Amino acid sequence: MAVKKKIRAAIVGASGYTGGELMRLLAGHPRMELTVVTARQAVGRPVVDLFPSLRDCCPLVFREYDPVELAAAADVVFTALPHKAAIEVVAGLAAAGLRVVDLSADFRFSDAAVYEAWYQEHARPDLLDLAVYGLPELFRRRIVAADIVGNPGCYPTAALIGLAPLFREGLVAAGRPVFIDAKSGASGAGRTLAAGSLFCEIDEGLKPYKVGSHRHQPEIVEQLGRYAGVPAEVLFVPHLVPISRGIVSTMYVPLRQDASTEDIAALYGRYYGAEPFVRPLPAGEMPNVLAVRGSNFCDIGFVSAAAGRTLVVATAIDNLVKGAAGQAIQNANLMFGLEETAGLTGLPLYP
Amino acid sequence: MAVKKKIRAAIVGASGYTGGELMRLLAGHPRMELTVVTARQAVGRPVVDLFPSLRDCCPLVFREYDPVELAAAADVVFTALPHKAAIEVVAGLAAAGLRVVDLSADFRFSDAAVYEAWYQEHARPDLLDLAVYGLPELFRRRIVAADIVGNPGCYPTAALIGLAPLFREGLVAAGRPVFIDAKSGASGAGRTLAAGSLFCEIDEGLKPYKVGSHRHQPEIVEQLGRYAGVPAEVLFVPHLVPISRGIVSTMYVPLRQDASTEDIAALYGRYYGAEPFVRPLPAGEMPNVLAVRGSNFCDIGFVSAAAGRTLVVATAIDNLVKGAAGQAIQNANLMFGLEETAGLTGLPLYP
Amino acid sequence: MAVKKKIRAAIVGASGYTGGELMRLLAGHPRMELTVVTARQAVGRPVVDLFPSLRDCCPLVFREYDPVELAAAADVVFTALPHKAAIEVVAGLAAAGLRVVDLSADFRFSDAAVYEAWYQEHARPDLLDLAVYGLPELFRRRIVAADIVGNPGCYPTAALIGLAPLFREGLVAAGRPVFIDAKSGASGAGRTLAAGSLFCEIDEGLKPYKVGSHRHQPEIVEQLGRYAGVPAEVLFVPHLVPISRGIVSTMYVPLRQDASTEDIAALYGRYYGAEPFVRPLPAGEMPNVLAVRGSNFCDIGFVSAAAGRTLVVATAIDNLVKGAAGQAIQNANLMFGLEETAGLTGLPLYP
Amino acid sequence: MAVKKKIRAAIVGASGYTGGELMRLLAGHPRMELTVVTARQAVGRPVVDLFPSLRDCCPLVFREYDPVELAAAADVVFTALPHKAAIEVVAGLAAAGLRVVDLSADFRFSDAAVYEAWYQEHARPDLLDLAVYGLPELFRRRIVAADIVGNPGCYPTAALIGLAPLFREGLVAAGRPVFIDAKSGASGAGRTLAAGSLFCEIDEGLKPYKVGSHRHQPEIVEQLGRYAGVPAEVLFVPHLVPISRGIVSTMYVPLRQDASTEDIAALYGRYYGAEPFVRPLPAGEMPNVLAVRGSNFCDIGFVSAAAGRTLVVATAIDNLVKGAAGQAIQNANLMFGLEETAGLTGLPLYP
């Protein structure tokens, strides 16, 4: 049995939590090897300086971003840069013939106008047509063929896996918003220094923020519309909770016609029964982020309420794995014809 | 200036977190003094055994419940017993001429049928007519004259302060439920030994539970109906978050007609501008439980969304204070003609 | 009964956690009123912008530091500035006739050489002779007469209360260090933006730092020496734990001659039996920071071990109260002849 | 290449956190398969009922303990029972020809008298001679040949890896105790219902307990003595901190003669340079439990202090992995001639 050659991977912008999670997962990937990591503010420093957990497990040193070097050393690049900064880098890497999974928001929108309304001008709107939205459970076939994948936001991942089948099946009543009450751990805000990210500001706290004005709302709306072929209306309200990892998205869905919890169980069973990373829970059970922590799983719970007219769906993911680094690797696995679960078989840490 | 005689207070069932919080607050109350505490399973033990925080501050020893002794030693009794167990005790205390603030669910419902549908048979439905629902911001005048006050549930307190003005003013669209997505800290489950209350089951976790089936839902519905004079439909979904104290209740309210955030600011200003414990936030700001921790405050934030058709209201309280012990003392202050804020002026601990 | 005039207090450098805690405590002080707060980076902003907990409780706006204005508006000033920056400010305030409690390290050392060895050059070593080390349990009489009080560090407060009586009584074996294994919550690092203070870096973490090289070590050594009249040798090892408030200091004391736990109980009883804020625990019980949170208490537990040759003493304080703001107010109370406990009677929040 | 047959493993007493961790790790083990799990109080319930994290990953149902069935279905048994209960079970399994890794304290002591002094009478002292103490870094050769392995306690694992080389090399001064100040997360207390294990009793708390009287102290002493050939004196003081997983053990070691930090670095390098799971840190760096969470690593930091006369050593482990389940699998790997790291290559979760 010939040993297959490994796919060479690089990470651009690897000093944050998403970068660290990519390194953790790639270190255990049977078919990929990490060859280069870059981080502008840490050039020359060993990875272990910023990630003591990786001691003895990652001998790399942070380098400057250099597309020529990357083209020589890698087959796939994960870009984990702030939005806007990613555009030029991804364009350069794609021009150099590299396949890219971009973890910023820059390649998640098909419609440049929506991106520009919520972010800023897009320097390369031409690339948006090439990029594929990297939610494998919805768009697997397109991802397989993609050169640029826009890796979904953490909140949209949790929301879309729960809502997409309901919209596609025409179950959602028109004219009334779906309310998405999402709760996220602190790593969602990244490793950037910010007053609101200090331990003492978050510990024992709990608060909503950016009600209806978070940039993940238009991302959810656009992808629901593309997947279901009908316009979707949602109101997205994120909350910050004192945990490091994890999102629970509790969604209040007005139904077009009454449906029982069992009806919904059957529906999710059809959509997700064969999915390796989506776990619909038994009817009536609700998900807990603790049961997915560290893994690429998305758990779904659901209850038909208000006499069958409203469906409450709750999803739980680890925002750094299924909501970022894990999903990025899942996408890269698809792009390179590997087993979709390769490198992603670690089970959740409980407790 | 004659020193006024202090009101003598007793606590029945004082070994849990609500009991401890009553003791903490009463120790600093300028016009009440705690004379007796009972706890069936701790008879003979000093209070400090169960509450090391009270060392040197509370010399009492837990005693058996004895209504005759209580009638001799107290003017007001706070009963912090499990529901059902409270009925007979409250009846006995009332018969002995004591005024009672009951922190169980047993005297919160006017309609015995609703209580019996969600809890169990009510042994003394006749007393329900005498009891007053102890939410001062809604029912202050009735509380002043009450002999038995049913102290509100923690979740209902957070929900009703946000919703009651909206229902009374006729702003809520009929025929569609208000969604109440509530998040609570672990002390809401009490000090009882339960697998789900272990540190390792809650820490770094986050989950919805009892979707639409929590007993606080009918309590919210009944009080909204009584206060506003119209039937209210709500769907209540509680969540458990890894903090010790605090509730945030995020509420999605379909409006009868469009209203701006400023309209709502004016409305809450009218209702709560003179309230000592309710703090409407500046338009668009959202509350954080950390900003009310340890205090009797209820903060309210609100945003008009979905083009003015939906109002998002979020309230934050400390479930052990405004959601339990603090509100109980606020009620007792009213019943005895004291300053409403007496013993409740401690400011929140931040961080 | 004539109402006594209130002492007017100001805070210089009030935007951090110590400043916020001073504001919380002063708001409930019966004999002090806060008249001015300054914070260079927040000039013109209302206090509530930085401390949402103080909404409706503190109408002040942060101002620029202006010694003339302070001299007109205040009787006592609490300076909560970084070390070095405090020197000139304190000198200016003292020159203007104000009494000052300084919460930096700048006036904690009698010996300028020690200060300069661990911090930097001291611009006004002449003032060190005037300043009094503000640990009332050790130096109460001198504090009463002081114009400048150097408020102790949080770690030294926890260490000294436990160790000082042992050294003064000559119980500690010479020639061997006392080991001080201290554990602190995150607020000890302040509100400054620093990578190590991010929620995700601290949550679920636990680590020693600055072994034997923390600046609080020489402070402990100097004060032990001054109080006991003999040189003290300690090795101080701080740890960071994921709580917001609190220090536990576990100390391993080699005894000159065997002593039983009961001997030590008697000793602490003599020293602290009449102290309002020090609570020696029953023999064998150990303190928990949760039992002092939010209060000015210092709990002490102790066990004679290793056949009576070693004493293990553990103290617990709230680093923001007894370790900073509460102790500062205790000092100011002494300086102005007020009841020592004024404004400090709030009980710990448990849980 | 022939596929090698997998070793069949069973877990007796699998409903606690150690059992869950064994299941998590065995699910990813390339050469072991889990065939039977027992749990007396959960007979007939699917594993996923107690461990929602294992949904879709472990189809087993808890069974009654039946040595005949186990002998037919397994090659190795991990027993995760309370001490005392394990003795008879291990004896029965050994009699049935099974190899056993016991995670209780029942087979950790060579000297029955020590066990009986700290626990209770030992029903099968004859088996203690057969059992091997399962700390591979110290006793690897004996483990390879063992039929019964007594898996070390979590605290002793953290202490011994740090101290054993120092004692064996004769570096520790005689006549003075080594102080072991250990801090553990809450999972160390197991999943048993206990008042002290409630979320609200631990969250934001921090306290020492069982000073000098914890049962892990004699275990440390016995193994140090056996490994180093000289008597060891230690004083062990555990603390409870609000994290789910992890132990930091900070140790104060009086040195026989002065040693520099570099000397110690060289020493640990000699002992652990080739060890797959022990990571000595660069001189002066201190370990953080967050950097080992979820992994089988033990990190060691050390600083020579007090002018070279005292060594401060700190170790960090995940108590459920290197302190329990991971080490048990490491032992089983050795017993069955597998790669020592098999099933244990998952990297730490950071954050």
Side-chain angles (χ1 to χ4, degrees):
Chain A
M1 185 169 76
V3 174
K4 290 190 191 149
K5 212 174 136 202
K6 288 195 175 183
I7 308 297
R8 297 165 307 154
I11 307 170
V12 173
S15 59
Y17 293 135
T18 300
E21 196 67 357
L22 282 164
M23 288 189 263
R24 177 178 79 88
L25 294 168
L26 287 171
H29 198 298
R31 298 293 313 284
M32 289 194 187
E33 63 178 330
L34 183 62
T35 54
V36 182
V37 292
T38 83
R40 212 177 34 181
Q41 302 192 329
V43 171
R45 298 179 64 187
V47 158
V48 74
D49 264 21
L50 276 71
F51 298 98
S53 54
L54 298 179
R55 184 173 304 284
D56 296 354
C57 307
C58 182
L60 298 175
V61 169
F62 291 111
R63 315 183 66 141
E64 297 250 27
Y65 166 67
D66 176 342
V68 174
E69 178 188 73
L70 289 170
D75 304 303
V76 60
V77 180
F78 298 96
T79 46
L81 298 166
H83 61 81
K84 191 174 183 186
I87 297 176
E88 192 187 357
V89 168
V90 171
L93 293 168
L98 284 157
R99 298 174 87 176
V100 182
V101 180
D102 177 52
L103 290 100
S104 83
D106 289 347
F107 295 90
R108 294 178 190 158
F109 290 84
S110 311
D111 186 341
V114 176
Y115 176 90
E116 297 188 341
W118 287 81
Y119 292 84
Q120 69 282 305
E121 204 185 346
H122 198 295
R124 292 294 303 273
D126 57 303
L127 291 177
L128 294 182
D129 284 345
L130 300 179
V132 171
Y133 191 74
L135 195 58
E137 290 76 9
L138 306 190
F139 304 110
R140 183 172 284 113
R141 263 178 293 179
R142 297 193 60 213
I143 295 164
V144 168
D147 287 319
I148 301 175
V149 164
N151 210 58
C154 51
Y155 283 129
T157 297
L160 289 166
I161 290 176
L163 294 178
L166 306 173
F167 273 93
R168 179 170 262 188
E169 297 293 322
L171 295 180
V172 186
R176 288 161 54 187
V178 169
F179 300 113
I180 303 175
D181 188 294
K183 299 95 179 162
S184 174
S187 64
R191 208 175 190 176
T192 309
L193 289 187
S197 297
L198 293 177
F199 182 84
C200 290
E201 302 292 323
I202 293 175
D203 180 49
E204 297 295 310
L206 175 55
K207 62 167 187 183
Y209 66 100
K210 293 192 183 166
V211 175
S213 63
H214 192 287
R215 285 161 163 173
H216 283 174
Q217 179 166 308
E219 184 180 332
I220 295 167
V221 168
E222 181 180 287
Q223 297 304 332
L224 282 176
R226 287 182 57 221
Y227 183 73
V230 293
E233 188 185 354
V234 311
L235 178 62
F236 174 67
V237 180
H239 298 69
L240 179 61
V241 294
I243 60 177
S244 283
R245 291 168 175 250
I247 288 174
V248 165
S249 189
T250 313
M251 299 175 276
Y252 300 88
V253 185
L255 293 176
R256 181 188 296 269
Q257 56 185 58
D258 295 1
S260 68
T261 303
E262 288 66 32
D263 295 339
I264 303 301
L267 172 74
Y268 282 126
R270 282 204 311 281
Y271 273 77
Y272 295 131
E275 284 293 340
F277 295 121
V278 181
R279 305 191 294 192
L281 303 183
E285 250 178 66
M286 283 287 127
N288 186 343
V289 287
L290 202 51
V292 301
R293 180 168 59 156
S295 80
N296 204 46
F297 288 126
C298 175
D299 283 0
I300 312 183
F302 39 88
V303 170
S304 172
R309 287 171 302 132
T310 300
L311 183 67
V312 180
V313 179
T315 53
I317 62 168
D318 182 322
N319 59 300
L320 290 181
V321 189
K322 184 61 178 167
Q327 184 144 270
I329 290 172
Q330 187 182 357
N331 283 317
N333 287 343
L334 289 169
M335 293 161 82
F336 285 86
L338 309 181
E339 191 77 30
E340 187 168 343
T341 58
L344 300 170
T345 53
L347 297 189
L349 221 55
Y350 184 97
Chain B
M1 185 170 76
V3 174
K4 290 192 190 148
K5 212 175 136 202
K6 288 196 173 182
I7 308 296
R8 297 165 307 156
I11 307 170
V12 173
S15 58
Y17 293 135
T18 300
E21 197 67 358
L22 282 163
M23 288 189 263
R24 175 177 80 88
L25 294 168
L26 288 170
H29 198 296
R31 297 294 313 285
M32 290 195 185
E33 63 178 331
L34 183 63
T35 55
V36 181
V37 292
T38 83
R40 212 176 35 182
Q41 302 191 332
V43 171
R45 298 178 65 187
V47 158
V48 74
D49 264 21
L50 275 71
F51 298 97
S53 54
L54 298 178
R55 184 173 305 284
D56 297 353
C57 306
C58 181
L60 299 175
V61 168
F62 290 111
R63 315 183 65 142
E64 296 250 27
Y65 165 69
D66 176 342
V68 175
E69 179 188 71
L70 289 171
D75 304 302
V76 62
V77 180
F78 298 96
T79 46
L81 298 165
H83 62 81
K84 190 174 183 186
I87 296 176
E88 192 186 357
V89 168
V90 171
L93 294 168
L98 283 157
R99 298 174 87 176
V100 183
V101 180
D102 178 51
L103 290 100
S104 83
D106 289 347
F107 294 90
R108 293 179 190 157
F109 290 84
S110 312
D111 186 342
V114 176
Y115 176 90
E116 297 188 342
W118 287 81
Y119 291 84
Q120 69 283 304
E121 205 184 348
H122 198 296
R124 293 294 303 274
D126 58 305
L127 291 177
L128 295 183
D129 284 345
L130 300 180
V132 171
Y133 190 74
L135 195 58
E137 289 77 9
L138 306 190
F139 303 110
R140 183 173 283 112
R141 264 177 291 179
R142 297 195 59 213
I143 295 165
V144 168
D147 288 319
I148 301 175
V149 163
N151 209 57
C154 50
Y155 283 128
T157 296
L160 289 167
I161 290 177
L163 294 178
L166 306 174
F167 273 94
R168 179 170 261 188
E169 297 293 321
L171 295 180
V172 186
R176 287 160 54 186
V178 168
F179 299 113
I180 303 175
D181 188 292
K183 300 93 180 165
S184 174
S187 64
R191 208 175 190 176
T192 310
L193 289 187
S197 296
L198 293 177
F199 182 83
C200 291
E201 302 291 323
I202 293 176
D203 179 49
E204 297 296 308
L206 175 54
K207 62 166 188 186
Y209 66 99
K210 292 191 183 167
V211 175
S213 63
H214 192 286
R215 284 158 163 175
H216 283 174
Q217 179 166 308
E219 183 180 332
I220 295 167
V221 168
E222 182 180 287
Q223 298 304 332
L224 281 177
R226 288 183 56 223
Y227 183 74
V230 292
E233 187 184 354
V234 310
L235 178 62
F236 174 67
V237 180
H239 297 70
L240 179 61
V241 294
I243 61 177
S244 284
R245 291 168 175 249
I247 288 175
V248 165
S249 190
T250 313
M251 300 176 276
Y252 301 87
V253 185
L255 294 176
R256 182 189 294 269
Q257 55 186 57
D258 294 0
S260 69
T261 303
E262 288 67 32
D263 294 339
I264 303 301
L267 172 74
Y268 282 127
R270 281 205 310 282
Y271 274 77
Y272 297 132
E275 284 293 342
F277 295 121
V278 181
R279 304 192 294 192
L281 303 184
E285 250 179 65
M286 284 286 126
N288 186 344
V289 287
L290 201 52
V292 300
R293 181 167 60 154
S295 80
N296 203 46
F297 288 126
C298 175
D299 282 0
I300 312 183
F302 40 89
V303 170
S304 172
R309 287 172 301 133
T310 299
L311 182 68
V312 180
V313 179
T315 53
I317 61 169
D318 182 322
N319 58 301
L320 291 180
V321 189
K322 184 61 178 167
Q327 185 144 272
I329 289 171
Q330 187 182 356
N331 282 318
N333 286 343
L334 290 170
M335 293 162 82
F336 285 85
L338 309 181
E339 191 79 29
E340 186 168 342
T341 58
L344 300 171
T345 54
L347 296 189
L349 221 56
Y350 183 97
Chain C
M1 186 169 73
V3 173
K4 291 194 191 144
K5 213 176 137 202
K6 288 194 173 182
I7 308 296
R8 297 164 306 155
I11 307 168
V12 172
S15 58
Y17 293 135
T18 300
E21 197 67 358
L22 282 164
M23 289 190 262
R24 175 177 81 87
L25 294 168
L26 287 171
H29 198 296
R31 298 292 313 285
M32 288 195 188
E33 63 178 329
L34 184 62
T35 54
V36 181
V37 292
T38 82
R40 211 176 37 180
Q41 302 192 331
V43 171
R45 298 179 64 187
V47 158
V48 73
D49 264 23
L50 274 72
F51 297 99
S53 54
L54 298 178
R55 184 173 303 285
D56 296 356
C57 307
C58 181
L60 298 175
V61 168
F62 290 111
R63 315 182 66 141
E64 296 251 28
Y65 166 69
D66 176 342
V68 175
E69 179 187 73
L70 289 171
D75 304 303
V76 61
V77 179
F78 299 96
T79 45
L81 298 165
H83 62 81
K84 189 174 186 187
I87 297 176
E88 192 187 356
V89 167
V90 171
L93 294 168
L98 283 157
R99 298 174 86 177
V100 182
V101 181
D102 178 51
L103 291 99
S104 83
D106 289 348
F107 295 90
R108 292 179 191 157
F109 290 83
S110 311
D111 185 342
V114 177
Y115 176 90
E116 296 189 341
W118 288 81
Y119 292 86
Q120 70 282 305
E121 205 186 345
H122 198 296
R124 293 293 304 273
D126 58 304
L127 291 177
L128 294 182
D129 284 344
L130 299 180
V132 172
Y133 191 73
L135 195 58
E137 289 76 10
L138 306 191
F139 303 110
R140 183 172 285 112
R141 264 178 290 179
R142 298 194 59 213
I143 295 164
V144 168
D147 287 319
I148 301 175
V149 164
N151 209 57
C154 50
Y155 284 127
T157 296
L160 289 167
I161 290 178
L163 295 179
L166 306 174
F167 273 92
R168 179 170 263 191
E169 297 293 322
L171 296 179
V172 185
R176 287 161 54 186
V178 169
F179 299 113
I180 304 176
D181 188 293
K183 301 93 179 165
S184 173
S187 64
R191 207 175 190 177
T192 309
L193 289 187
S197 296
L198 293 176
F199 181 84
C200 291
E201 301 292 323
I202 293 175
D203 180 48
E204 299 295 311
L206 175 55
K207 62 166 187 186
Y209 66 100
K210 292 189 184 167
V211 175
S213 62
H214 193 287
R215 286 160 162 174
H216 283 174
Q217 179 167 308
E219 184 180 331
I220 295 167
V221 168
E222 181 179 289
Q223 298 303 332
L224 282 176
R226 288 183 57 222
Y227 183 73
V230 293
E233 187 185 355
V234 312
L235 177 61
F236 175 66
V237 180
H239 296 71
L240 179 61
V241 294
I243 61 177
S244 283
R245 290 169 176 250
I247 287 174
V248 165
S249 190
T250 312
M251 298 175 278
Y252 300 88
V253 184
L255 294 175
R256 182 188 295 268
Q257 55 186 59
D258 295 0
S260 69
T261 303
E262 288 65 33
D263 295 338
I264 304 301
L267 172 74
Y268 283 128
R270 281 204 312 281
Y271 273 77
Y272 296 132
E275 284 293 339
F277 295 121
V278 180
R279 306 192 294 192
L281 303 184
E285 252 179 64
M286 283 287 128
N288 186 342
V289 288
L290 202 52
V292 300
R293 181 167 60 155
S295 80
N296 203 46
F297 288 126
C298 174
D299 283 1
I300 311 183
F302 40 89
V303 170
S304 172
R309 289 172 299 133
T310 300
L311 182 68
V312 181
V313 179
T315 52
I317 62 168
D318 182 323
N319 59 302
L320 291 181
V321 189
K322 184 61 178 166
Q327 185 144 272
I329 289 172
Q330 186 181 356
N331 282 318
N333 287 342
L334 289 169
M335 294 161 82
F336 285 86
L338 309 182
E339 190 78 30
E340 186 169 342
T341 58
L344 300 171
T345 54
L347 296 188
L349 221 57
Y350 184 97
Chain D
M1 185 169 76
V3 174
K4 290 193 190 146
K5 213 176 137 201
K6 289 193 173 182
I7 308 297
R8 297 164 306 154
I11 306 169
V12 172
S15 58
Y17 294 135
T18 300
E21 197 67 357
L22 282 164
M23 289 189 263
R24 175 177 80 88
L25 293 169
L26 288 170
H29 198 296
R31 298 293 312 285
M32 290 195 186
E33 64 178 329
L34 184 63
T35 55
V36 181
V37 292
T38 83
R40 210 176 39 181
Q41 301 192 331
V43 171
R45 297 179 64 186
V47 158
V48 73
D49 264 22
L50 275 72
F51 297 98
S53 54
L54 298 179
R55 184 173 304 284
D56 297 354
C57 306
C58 181
L60 298 175
V61 168
F62 291 111
R63 316 183 66 142
E64 297 250 28
Y65 166 68
D66 177 342
V68 175
E69 179 187 72
L70 288 171
D75 304 302
V76 61
V77 179
F78 299 96
T79 45
L81 299 165
H83 61 81
K84 188 173 186 188
I87 296 176
E88 192 187 356
V89 167
V90 171
L93 294 168
L98 283 157
R99 298 174 86 176
V100 183
V101 180
D102 177 51
L103 290 100
S104 83
D106 289 347
F107 295 91
R108 293 179 192 158
F109 290 84
S110 311
D111 186 342
V114 176
Y115 176 90
E116 296 189 342
W118 287 81
Y119 292 86
Q120 69 283 306
E121 205 185 345
H122 197 296
R124 292 293 304 274
D126 58 305
L127 291 178
L128 295 182
D129 285 345
L130 299 180
V132 172
Y133 190 73
L135 194 58
E137 288 77 9
L138 306 191
F139 303 111
R140 182 172 284 113
R141 263 177 293 178
R142 298 194 59 213
I143 295 165
V144 168
D147 287 320
I148 302 175
V149 164
N151 210 59
C154 50
Y155 283 127
T157 296
L160 289 167
I161 290 177
L163 294 179
L166 305 174
F167 274 94
R168 178 170 266 191
E169 298 293 321
L171 295 180
V172 185
R176 287 160 56 186
V178 169
F179 299 114
I180 304 175
D181 188 294
K183 300 93 179 165
S184 174
S187 64
R191 208 175 190 177
T192 309
L193 289 186
S197 297
L198 293 177
F199 182 83
C200 290
E201 301 292 323
I202 293 175
D203 180 48
E204 298 295 309
L206 176 55
K207 63 167 187 186
Y209 65 101
K210 293 190 183 165
V211 174
S213 63
H214 192 287
R215 285 160 164 173
H216 284 172
Q217 179 166 308
E219 183 180 332
I220 295 167
V221 169
E222 182 178 288
Q223 298 304 332
L224 281 177
R226 288 183 56 224
Y227 184 73
V230 292
E233 186 185 355
V234 310
L235 177 61
F236 174 67
V237 180
H239 297 70
L240 179 61
V241 294
I243 60 177
S244 284
R245 292 168 176 250
I247 287 175
V248 165
S249 190
T250 313
M251 298 175 278
Y252 300 88
V253 185
L255 294 176
R256 181 189 295 269
Q257 56 186 59
D258 294 1
S260 69
T261 303
E262 288 64 34
D263 295 338
I264 304 301
L267 173 74
Y268 283 127
R270 282 204 310 281
Y271 273 77
Y272 297 133
E275 284 293 340
F277 296 121
V278 181
R279 305 191 296 191
L281 303 184
E285 253 180 62
M286 284 286 127
N288 186 342
V289 288
L290 201 52
V292 300
R293 180 167 61 155
S295 80
N296 204 47
F297 288 126
C298 175
D299 283 1
I300 312 183
F302 40 89
V303 170
S304 172
R309 288 172 299 133
T310 300
L311 182 68
V312 181
V313 179
T315 52
I317 62 169
D318 182 323
N319 60 301
L320 292 180
V321 189
K322 184 61 179 167
Q327 185 145 271
I329 289 172
Q330 187 181 356
N331 282 318
N333 287 342
L334 289 169
M335 294 161 82
F336 285 85
L338 309 181
E339 190 78 30
E340 187 168 342
T341 58
L344 300 171
T345 53
L347 296 189
L349 221 56
Y350 184 96

